[in-house]
Amino acid sequence: MSTLEEVCEDVRKRIGTVTRDDLGPVSARDFQRFAVAAGEPPGATAPPLFLSSVLGWGAGPTGDALSPDGTGDETAGLPLDGLRLMGAGQDLDFHAPVRDGTRVVRETSVEDVTLKQGGSGPFLVITMLRMFADESGTPLVTCRDNLIARPEAPR
């Protein structure tokens, strides 16, 4: 079995395991800055893509805490060391507006993983499910992220 096949099997065992993170309250200042940066007028509610785009409200990891491809902790601790990650699209469902002070909880899990063969070799397609809700459990945004994981190119 190749290393990529082993990683696929290990990720497959984690399907359905949920990681829950209390992201804390959303600040109107932060989502209004996000809106301006995205070319949208700032408003009283967060722009639709705010929750799925921002991984946390803090400063974020330092450069040395990122993997060589620039990813951080968005893979919920999956065993992807030595693999290069690339985004492969999102499916989003918007359920309720996000307002200043809304305390956000994110639940992350692996929904699926598939080993595929491409023109340049094998790769994994990993579907991550991220569900954002307020502290009472009211759904805000459901996000399915598709990631491609492939071995580093030989140098």
Side-chain angles (χ1 to χ4, degrees):
M1 184 182 301
S2 77
T3 302
L4 203 54
E5 288 171 330
E6 292 169 356
V7 171
C8 184
E9 285 306 311
D10 196 6
V11 172
R12 188 169 283 124
K13 291 175 188 172
R14 298 168 190 236
I15 290 175
T17 300
V18 176
T19 301
R20 182 181 167 96
D21 298 300
D22 182 346
L23 299 178
V26 173
S27 161
R29 182 195 67 215
D30 292 341
F31 67 67
Q32 289 170 351
R33 285 181 175 174
F34 180 92
V36 169
E40 300 291 329
T45 61
L49 298 178
F50 180 74
L51 289 182
S52 65
S53 299
V54 178
L55 297 175
W57 316 146
T62 60
D64 60 347
L66 298 173
S67 63
D69 62 10
T71 55
D73 65 353
E74 58 267 23
T75 58
L78 294 177
L80 303 175
D81 292 342
L83 298 177
R84 193 174 65 192
L85 297 179
M86 295 167 275
Q90 291 182 329
D91 290 319
L92 297 160
D93 291 315
F94 304 104
H95 307 292
V98 179
R99 302 183 193 291
D100 183 41
T102 300
R103 186 170 200 91
V104 177
V105 176
R106 176 184 62 205
E107 292 186 349
T108 306
S109 61
V110 177
E111 193 171 66
D112 193 23
V113 60
T114 306
L115 180 61
K116 296 196 174 227
Q117 184 65 38
S120 61
F123 62 94
L124 298 177
V125 176
I126 302 167
T127 302
M128 302 289 295
L129 177 62
R130 292 187 294 146
M131 299 175 66
F132 298 89
D134 68 14
E135 63 187 330
S136 71
T138 301
L140 301 169
V141 176
T142 301
C143 176
R144 281 182 179 77
D145 279 313
N146 293 302
L147 302 172
I148 293 174
R150 57 182 303 158
E152 290 287 337
R155 297 181 188 237

